[in-house]
């Protein structure tokens, strides 16, 4: 009967984090196409963009960084509803709330998985698109850097919105509404970094701001998401 | 006769026999076509040497469109007669079609720079060709995302059929709209091209055709094995050394 | 109404709607949905006013003049009915030639001159050896190109000559 | 070990139960009975700490700390929490990791065998039949070995053999000092005597 | 027992269409916020746009129509997954397939409801955004007209994609992948109509093409959607 | 009236049943029994024409026309097809319109009363308990009056009173010349003798 003795009130975070992360990555890998989807969407929208404003190369070069960032935001946006929706529908979320680990650790795992399957691949494909807008190699480097530093913020804000809107009808649009205003500053600083670099001005300030956002988010987001999940379950 | 080979079990060995044949044909024709195109065919009176991209560009563009039409035909068969093999053929053809379309886009862009003065313009021919590529991607993504084989097959077939309107648009775009892309050179009856050039282009077309068939047959063999791995005949086949 | 009749009514309605759709498409294709506009359209003011647009046609034979600085080029673009003067500063594509197709992006100034910001060459669909082309030209067979979708064929070599609208010459017959 | 006092559950304007108390010692099972809509599911969710009662308190080992209770609780609702894309084994693997009771593959396979899913162990959960999904839940219960089981209509969709299996598992659990609160409309052929609560 | 006599093989289309349309509108009305969502998203993104490319009024005027159309497309895109997802999850779709009316009539009802709750409100709010881009009243009129004529195509293509991807993972992104290439021509002709009008050229051809697309779609789409639904249920 | 011959159902690699035939005349009920995963649900979906059999044919009134059969079929799966946002009455109203059997509000209220949901008639379906959802389905069956009932585990989640009610309704249906194919793991206290099919 010792297997059912009172568990020590241990405070383990990592195993819960890892379990969820592993599972979500496994799920993504199961439907491999899924990992590719944000990237394909990203490339597609960014390539189609010139259609909207006409293919004036000078204009394109001017808006390049902004477009890449905006398309990245859109791709992220579209991927948000699926962070929690399925776990909610099939009852896994309840089980997570009852898990042996703090719900915040689990939320952290889901966040990490989301970034690894969206933010990271998006950041790494950005140069391809930058090329189309005529960026040179160093600028592309800054673009990737800005995305790597900034995209976790997108995942974090998005996860909060996704958790808050659980069970609401028309979730995907609701998320967009909540999230877009918050994404705007990220885009401004992210694109700003690239543009400053292109203009030969110091771009460190922009990147520093993004980095600060990411770090602050890392500390706070898991708890906010966990709270939002508890609300959704009640 | 035809129906006999419509069953995967009998098509599998047939495909195994045909694939190498077409592969060899493809190799030979490519050699001949490239020789004819790059050594024998004269330079062009307007474009000089760059025009030789034509020997890759046009065949691949044709194949990109043609493979889509073939897929649409299989899609009809799959939806109407519920034949297993046609869905497998669609799945086998799609990557080749996508590659062909990508090559057409790529060579077209490369060719555009020296002749038109730009890699890309959003004219009707180019845009609709780009859509063709996206359609291939869409089909493959859908096929991948639906886990149930039967549903994936049918959904993919429906998508291919819906997208087929794009093919005539590609073909007639140069007639319907003012485009930057040139009009039709090869017109049945009266082609506006020197015979040697035309011959090289046709040889290359047949080479790509043979290549597409060979690759599709190879791929479909893999797909058949994968999908029928639990049937008696595949088990038997695998048990044999 | 019997079920059969009802079904018939629906099918008829569907066909009618499709018919209207086809009519609309035909109407649209008769109109000017274009990658570029022709000089005739410019003359008739059927082009965007005060905004950049693309102008397409043939470079009028003998119209190309280079400015003293060597960078600015002046020529006129024609569709054999009307022509528009164009000025352009920049590098021309290799295939830019008198009598050949061209598509220029820019806008018409107050003086009626089209100031181009980009010039693309639009070559025709004929491919043959240079000698063959020369032979054809000597023989008096103009090489015909279909520059403008749905418009009347344009004679490229001698705009003034009333060459017969013969069936397309068979340059393919000329072997190197 | 589990006790509740003064529980009131209000949904909208309807008060489902008021001032409900219960007391459950180690090795005891409580069958919650009552007509449809009487609040069985609501009660179980309150006991599990997923929903909060309008009034009253739930205690576990005499403490009202929800987190501590949840560490020893296994809750099964109306739907089986399975990922459609993962196989039976993968689902169990993940669920147990989450429960803080990771198990070796051999253990998992044993349990899968016990609940009669050996031939389906690598089938994605989306293809499972309704009863098979329930059986996966059973395997999880067996493996996670939590002390307090809160099961909402556990007999649903199980065939006769499945029901016997479930009762065996539950009897074993009780014999080992476990606790269980179950809602059910059917008679359960339990060897252990169970107390009943009528809502 | 005559209530259970063999039903006449009647061929009724309208009652099925109306029933579904009524229910979907009722559902939308129940969650009133939902009707407003696409519109709010639309206004928000379109207003954020100037932030991306800087508030150069001339530039804005040039891209106005394109931006309005592109934002409309995005708003529509985000609303697509919900057309069938819930009916699929709760089994209503199966019941629809077993209904007394042809599945195509029911698909038609869903299409109409989707357009009435997305395309129509979007079209009617477009002038507000046009204003921000400095459009005059007649141009706004053409903008609304182009949207009214063209947006049904968006709903129709979208419904096909939504039905095809039922039960596929990562549905929202997959829909975007399938749909975007097909939306581009619609945007081109829609924005083209407005731009031609603004430039003083005949814009009838663009509108005619959009109209042709809508009409052809009206005839074909219900059947395609019905076929896709049957596939999803199989 | 309903007959099937040579039905084969294949799911993935597994053949669930092969060459299955059945024959059902007016006023007859067929209980499909079998262990979990034996293909009961699959059989019902094939009979309903939602899924296609790998081989074989289903006939209704001697005709294989699926659409004609569906016009007289009522199918109930594992989940109750209710819209969470609509009330009980609204859900029924819509479902009946779809069934081609629109009913007046008074009729609907009567049926709602009969299945014991009078007090919940204006509650959005999302708040219903599991058994209450099933009862809405029962009301729909009663009102739509279709000839062939295909019910997948209809007793699930119903309390004792609900089960009696269901059996009464079913008996009435059979007495009126209706047909029913049911899958079930529980004994059903039916007055009408029912044939059984073991999968
Ligand atoms: C990215 C740019 C381009 C794309 C997407 C493209 C696409 C296509 C496609 C799809 C076709 C086959 C359609 C048909 O046969 O009717 C085609 C044919 C052809 N293309 Fe291109 N093309 C591009 C650029 C070019 C360029 C730059 C040239 C020449 C300067 C060129 C010359 C031709 C020729 C000669 C044909 C054969 C036409 C015929 O005989 O029908 N293309 N192209
Ligand atoms: N792709 C597949 N490969 C192998 N087996 C499959 C596949 N898809 C479904 N199955 C099996 O098919 C069966 C489906 O059974 P079905 O749902 O009809 O059973 P049931 O008799 O209704 O069971 P229950 O009593 O549990 O509801 C299950 O045994 C399932 O494991
Ligand atoms: N907003 C509300 N207003 C009024 N009643 C509500 C509201 N929300 C829920 N209810 C009622 O609360 C009860 C919830 O019951 P619960 O799901 O706990 O029942 P149960 O005992 O599990 O029933 P079953 O046997 O059917 O599973 C239902 O009777 C439901 O109608
Ligand atoms: Mg309950
Ligand atoms: Mg079943």
């Amino acid at each position: 009967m010792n297997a059912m003795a009172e568990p020590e009130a241990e405070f383990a975070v990592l195993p819960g984090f890892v379990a969820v992360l592993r599972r979500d990555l496994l799920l993504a890998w199961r439907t491999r196409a899924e990992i590719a989807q944000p990237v394909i969407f990203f490339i597609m929208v960014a390539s189609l963009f010139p259609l909207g404003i006409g293919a004036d190369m000078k204009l394109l070069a001017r808006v390049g960084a902004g477009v890449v960032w905006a398309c990245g935001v859109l791709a992220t946006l579209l991927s948000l509803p699926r962070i929690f929706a399925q776990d909610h529908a099939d009852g896994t979320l309840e089980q997570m709330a009852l898990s042996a680990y703090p719900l915040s650790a689990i939320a952290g795992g889901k966040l990490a998985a989301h970034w690894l399957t969206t933010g990271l691949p998006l950041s790494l494909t950005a140069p391809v698109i930058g090329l189309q807008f005529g960026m040179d190699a160093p600028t592309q480097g800054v673009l990737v850097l800005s995305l790597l530093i900034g995209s976790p913020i997108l995942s974090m804000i998005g996860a909060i919105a996704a958790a808050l809107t659980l069970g609401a009808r028309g979730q995907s649009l609701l998320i967009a509404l909540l999230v877009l205003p918050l994404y705007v500053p990220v885009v401004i600083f992210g694109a700003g970094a690239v543009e400053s670099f292109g203009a030969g001005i110091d771009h460190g300030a922009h990147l520093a701001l993004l980095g600060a956002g990411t770090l602050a988010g890392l500390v706070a987001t898991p708890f906010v998401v966990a709270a939002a999940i508890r609300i959704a379950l009640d | 006769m035809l129906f006999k080979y419509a069953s995967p079990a009998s098509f599998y060995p047939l495909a195994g026999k045909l694939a190498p044949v077409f592969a060899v044909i493809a190799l030979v024709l490519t050699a001949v076509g490239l020789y004819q195109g790059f050594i024998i065919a004269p330079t062009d009176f307007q474009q000089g040497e760059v025009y030789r991209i034509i020997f890759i560009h046009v065949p691949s563009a044709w194949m990109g469109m043609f493979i889509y039409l073939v897929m649409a035909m299989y899609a009809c068969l799959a939806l109407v007669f519920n034949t297993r093999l046609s869905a497998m053929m669609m799945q086998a053809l799609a990557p080749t079609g996508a590659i062909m379309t990508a090559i057409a886009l790529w060579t077209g862009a490369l060719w555009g720079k020296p002749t038109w003065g730009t890699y890309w313009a959003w004219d009707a021919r180019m845009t609709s060709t780009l859509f063709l590529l996206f359609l291939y991607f869409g089909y493959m993504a859908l096929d991948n995302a639906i886990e149930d084989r039967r549903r994936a097959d049918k959904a993919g077939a429906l998508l291919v059929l819906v997208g087929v309107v794009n093919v005539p648009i590609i073909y007639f775009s140069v007639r319907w709209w003012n485009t930057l892309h040139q009009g039709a050179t090869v017109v049945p009856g009266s082609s506006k091209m020197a015979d040697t050039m035309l011959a090289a282009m046709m040889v290359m077309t047949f080479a790509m055709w043979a290549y597409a068939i060979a690759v599709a047959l190879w791929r479909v063999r893999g797909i058949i094995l994968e999908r029928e791995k639990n049937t008696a005949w595949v088990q038997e086949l695998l048990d044999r050394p | 109404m019997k079920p059969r009749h009802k079904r018939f009514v629906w099918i008829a309605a569907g066909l009618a709607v499709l018919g209207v759709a086809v009519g609309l498409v035909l109407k649209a294709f008769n109109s000017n949905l274009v990658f570029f506009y022709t000089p005739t359209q410019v003359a008739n003011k059927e082009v965007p006013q005060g905004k950049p647009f693309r102008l397409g046609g043939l470079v009028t034979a003998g119209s190309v003049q280079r400015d003293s600085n060597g960078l600015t080029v002046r020529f006129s673009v024609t569709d054999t009915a009307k022509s528009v003067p164009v000025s352009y500063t920049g590098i021309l594509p290799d295939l830019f030639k008198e009598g050949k197709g061209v598509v220029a992006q820019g806008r018409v100034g107050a003086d009626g001159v089209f100031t181009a910001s980009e010039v693309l060459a639009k070559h025709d669909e004929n491919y043959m050896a240079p000698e063959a082309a020369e032979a054809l030209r000597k023989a008096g067979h103009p090489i015909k190109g279909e520059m403008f979708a749905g418009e009347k064929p344009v004679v490229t070599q001698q705009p003034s000559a009333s060459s017969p609208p013969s069936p397309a010459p068979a340059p393919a017959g000329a072997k190197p | 070990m589990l006790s509740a006092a003064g529980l009131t559950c209000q949904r909208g304007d309807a008060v489902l139960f008021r001032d409900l108390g219960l007391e459950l010692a180690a090795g005891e099972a409580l069958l919650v009975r009552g007509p449809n809509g009487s609040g069985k599911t609501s009660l179980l969710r309150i006991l599990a700490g997923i929903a909060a009662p309008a009034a009253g308190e739930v205690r576990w080992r005499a403490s009202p700390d929800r987190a501590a209770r949840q560490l020893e609780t296994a809750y099964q609702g109306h739907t089986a929490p399975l990922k459609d894309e993962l196989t039976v084994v993968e689902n169990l693997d993940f669920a147990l990791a989450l429960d803080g009771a990771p198990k070796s593959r051999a253990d998992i396979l044993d349990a899968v065998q016990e609940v009669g899913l050996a031939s389906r162990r690598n089938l994605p959960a989306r293809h499972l039949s309704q009863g098979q999904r329930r059986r996966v839940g059973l395997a999880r219960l067996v493996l996670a070995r939590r002390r307090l089981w809160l099961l909402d209509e556990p007999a649903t969709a199980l065939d006769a053999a499945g029901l016997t299996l479930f009762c065996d598992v539950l009897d074993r659990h009780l014999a080992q000092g476990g606790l269980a609160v179950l809602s059910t409309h059917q008679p359960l052929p339990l060897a252990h005597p169970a107390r009943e609560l009528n809502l």
Side-chain angles (χ1 to χ4, degrees), chain A, chain B, chain C, chain D:
Chain A
M1 221 10 269
N2 54 357
M4 283 209 302
E6 182 170 10
E8 287 168 48
E10 63 168 327
F11 183 75
V13 167
L14 268 187
F17 176 87
V18 172
V20 174
L21 176 59
R22 253 190 48 220
R23 187 207 59 159
D24 272 17
L25 291 182
L26 177 62
L27 273 176
W29 175 247
R30 258 307 128 71
T31 46
R32 246 145 297 176
E34 218 184 337
I35 311 188
Q37 276 179 17
V39 171
I40 297 181
F41 176 83
F42 183 47
I43 297 181
M44 205 156 80
V45 177
S47 330
L48 291 179
F49 195 86
L51 273 183
I53 52 169
D56 180 344
M57 209 55 205
K58 254 180 255 158
L59 188 60
L60 285 184
R62 231 188 89 195
V63 298
V67 171
V68 171
W69 259 95
C71 294
V73 161
L74 277 178
T76 311
L77 190 65
L78 284 170
S79 72
L80 292 179
R82 72 156 195 250
I83 304 186
F84 297 112
Q86 209 167 356
D87 283 339
H88 183 56
D90 65 16
T92 309
L93 219 52
E94 281 169 5
Q95 299 296 331
M96 290 176 166
L98 294 177
S99 129
Y101 308 102
L103 190 49
S104 47
I106 289 168
K110 292 211 66 97
L111 273 169
H114 181 257
W115 184 74
L116 286 177
T117 52
T118 11
L120 182 63
L122 286 184
S123 307
L124 299 183
T125 31
V128 182
I129 300 175
L131 211 65
Q132 295 181 14
F133 287 90
M135 285 186 193
D136 55 9
T139 317
Q140 283 174 24
V142 178
L143 179 67
V144 173
L145 198 65
S146 73
L147 279 164
L148 280 177
I149 301 179
S151 58
I153 309 185
L154 302 182
S155 287
M156 291 188 289
I157 296 178
I160 295 177
L164 278 176
T165 54
L166 273 175
R169 250 180 83 80
Q171 207 208 357
S172 50
L173 264 172
L174 202 56
I175 291 181
L177 283 181
L178 288 178
V179 143
L180 273 187
L182 301 173
Y183 277 5
V184 170
V186 185
V187 174
I188 291 180
F189 289 121
V194 184
E195 273 156 19
S196 311
F197 179 81
I201 325 169
D202 171 43
H203 60 288
H206 292 94
L207 291 184
L209 267 177
L210 286 181
T214 299
L215 292 178
L218 280 182
V219 176
T221 317
F223 300 97
V224 179
V225 172
I229 292 178
R230 284 213 192 280
I231 293 172
L233 287 180
D234 197 10
Chain B
M1 173 63 201
L2 238 170
F3 281 99
K4 180 175 164 244
Y5 287 112
S7 104
S10 40
F11 188 73
Y12 180 83
L14 179 71
K17 272 185 234 132
L18 288 182
V21 177
F22 280 103
V24 170
I25 297 181
L27 264 180
V28 172
L29 286 185
T30 308
V32 172
L34 288 181
Y35 180 75
Q36 170 92 5
F38 285 82
I39 314 283
I40 297 187
T43 42
D44 180 59
F45 74 117
Q46 319 182 64
Q47 302 186 11
E49 298 294 342
V50 294
Y51 93 96
R52 292 186 197 275
I53 298 181
I54 203 173
F55 301 122
I56 313 259
H57 173 74
V58 178
S60 55
W62 282 346
M63 282 314 289
M65 293 156 62
F66 181 71
I67 290 178
Y68 196 90
L69 288 179
V70 175
M71 280 175 63
M73 190 197 72
Y74 279 122
C76 279
L77 288 181
L79 285 180
V80 177
F81 299 107
N82 224 334
T83 47
R84 275 177 297 159
L85 190 59
S86 25
M88 301 188 201
M89 282 306 289
M90 286 174 66
Q91 215 188 346
L93 279 168
T96 317
I99 291 173
M100 288 295 172
T101 311
I103 294 180
L105 285 164
W106 183 252
T107 51
L110 275 186
W111 196 2
K113 188 68 191 173
T115 48
W116 304 331
T118 180
Y119 286 113
W120 187 262
W122 292 99
D123 87 341
R125 166 61 65 82
M126 290 170 236
T127 311
S128 52
T129 310
L130 188 63
F131 290 168
L132 184 65
L133 185 66
F134 287 162
L135 273 173
Y136 278 118
F137 285 161
Y139 166 80
M140 292 193 279
L142 184 67
D143 191 69
N144 243 299
I146 302 183
E147 206 200 335
D148 187 79
R149 247 345 312 162
R150 212 160 43 143
R151 288 210 293 114
D153 287 345
K154 290 195 173 172
L158 197 59
L159 173 67
V160 167
L161 275 187
V162 170
V164 86
V165 283
N166 189 38
V167 176
I169 294 183
I170 300 179
Y171 188 78
F172 291 111
S173 53
V174 290
R175 269 210 250 157
W176 289 343
W177 291 286
N178 287 337
T179 50
L180 183 59
H181 194 278
Q182 61 158 78
T185 292
V186 182
V187 188
S190 61
S191 288
K192 299 162 192 149
M193 192 175 199
D195 275 358
T196 37
M197 299 180 184
L198 187 64
M201 213 165 84
M202 286 306 165
V203 172
M204 283 304 292
T205 304
F206 288 120
M208 292 212 179
W209 208 322
Y211 163 82
I213 295 178
V215 173
L217 289 179
W218 253 309
R219 214 175 268 134
V220 86
R221 268 167 68 89
I223 294 171
I224 290 177
L225 275 194
E226 165 67 27
R227 289 205 197 175
E228 313 251 304
K229 59 174 179 280
N230 292 303
T231 57
W233 72 270
V234 174
Q235 296 293 344
E236 216 173 279
L237 195 81
L238 294 180
D239 290 343
R240 251 180 296 161
Chain C
M1 216 165 23
K2 285 201 191 113
R4 209 151 44 90
H5 293 172
K6 259 193 200 167
R7 196 181 294 251
F8 176 77
V9 168
W10 279 102
I11 293 177
L15 286 181
V17 171
L18 276 186
V20 177
V22 171
L24 285 175
V25 171
L26 291 180
K27 170 187 175 330
F29 284 145
N30 280 334
S31 217
N32 50 357
L33 278 173
V34 289
F35 182 68
F36 56 77
Y37 295 92
T38 60
T40 305
Q41 286 172 315
V42 177
N44 296 346
K45 303 248 185 266
E46 290 166 9
V47 295
Q49 303 298 310
K51 295 194 175 186
F53 63 94
R54 291 199 189 85
L55 170 71
L58 303 168
V59 182
T60 312
S63 70
V64 178
Q65 300 164 355
R66 289 187 186 270
D67 269 13
S68 47
N69 65 11
L71 272 179
T72 300
V73 187
R74 293 174 193 287
F75 55 93
S76 80
V77 169
T78 177
D79 58 2
T80 71
K82 292 273 170 15
S83 64
V84 173
V86 176
S87 98
Y88 172 65
T89 307
I91 302 164
L92 288 167
D94 297 345
L95 288 195
F96 178 88
K97 286 210 185 69
E98 290 187 359
K100 294 294 174 193
V102 72
V103 176
Q105 159 115 32
R107 63 174 86 212
V108 182
D111 53 356
V113 174
F114 184 90
T115 311
S117 58
E118 186 182 21
V119 170
L120 301 178
K122 175 171 165 51
H123 58 86
D124 58 43
E125 57 276 14
N126 298 296
Y127 292 87
M128 64 185 79
E131 313 84 63
E134 185 61 15
L136 264 186
R137 204 179 55 76
K138 286 223 176 91
H141 291 287
I143 298 165
K144 202 183 74 174
E146 288 171 45
M147 285 297 302
F148 310 106
E151 293 191 8
K152 53 192 177 303
V154 175
V155 179
T156 58
Q157 296 302 89
Q158 301 111 313
S160 53
S162 57
S163 65
S166 59
K175 294 206 176 63
Chain D
M1 286 178 94
L2 177 74
S3 66
L7 286 185
T8 301
C9 174
Q10 170 151 20
R11 303 290 300 274
D13 326 326
V15 177
L16 297 182
F17 48 80
R18 193 189 295 279
D19 204 19
L20 183 132
L22 57 84
E23 190 83 41
L24 211 64
E28 281 188 325
L30 180 70
L31 298 188
V32 184
R33 300 199 172 270
N36 290 140
S38 54
K40 301 180 291 299
T41 300
S42 308
L43 174 61
L44 287 175
R45 289 174 66 89
I46 289 173
L47 292 179
I50 298 174
E57 197 180 50
V58 181
R59 287 174 169 266
W60 173 250
R61 297 184 192 274
S63 123
D65 180 14
R66 196 194 56 187
R69 184 166 88 245
Q70 290 188 338
L71 276 185
E72 297 185 74
T73 306
Y75 168 80
Q76 275 191 4
H78 280 294
T79 53
L82 301 177
K83 284 287 129 193
D84 282 347
E85 286 76 22
L86 299 184
T87 67
V88 170
V89 170
E90 287 165 347
N91 263 302
L92 279 173
D93 189 25
F94 166 70
L96 292 165
L98 208 63
D99 287 342
K103 288 284 172 318
S104 74
R105 208 183 138 79
D107 286 348
I108 292 180
L109 286 180
D110 279 353
V112 166
Q113 170 91 44
E114 189 187 345
V115 299
L117 290 177
S119 67
R120 300 288 191 261
R121 63 177 181 279
N122 291 324
L123 193 66
R126 78 159 71 244
H127 294 308
L128 292 178
S129 82
Q130 212 63 12
Q132 288 168 338
R133 297 176 73 91
R134 281 272 157 186
R135 282 159 181 259
V136 180
L138 204 53
R140 175 181 182 174
L141 270 183
V142 171
L143 288 168
R145 302 191 58 58
R146 294 197 160 200
R147 188 97 189 227
L148 172 62
W149 289 3
L150 303 173
L151 310 179
D152 199 0
E153 308 200 24
T156 300
L158 290 179
D159 57 14
L163 195 60
T164 316
L165 177 69
F166 167 72
C167 289
D168 286 354
V169 165
L170 183 56
D171 277 328
R172 214 162 63 207
H173 174 69
L174 297 173
Q176 290 176 337
L179 294 80
V181 183
L182 328 165
S183 82
T184 178
H185 296 297
Q186 287 172 257
L188 290 183
L190 277 180
H192 241 74
R195 288 163 46 195
E196 301 215 355
L197 172 72
N198 275 295
L199 283 183

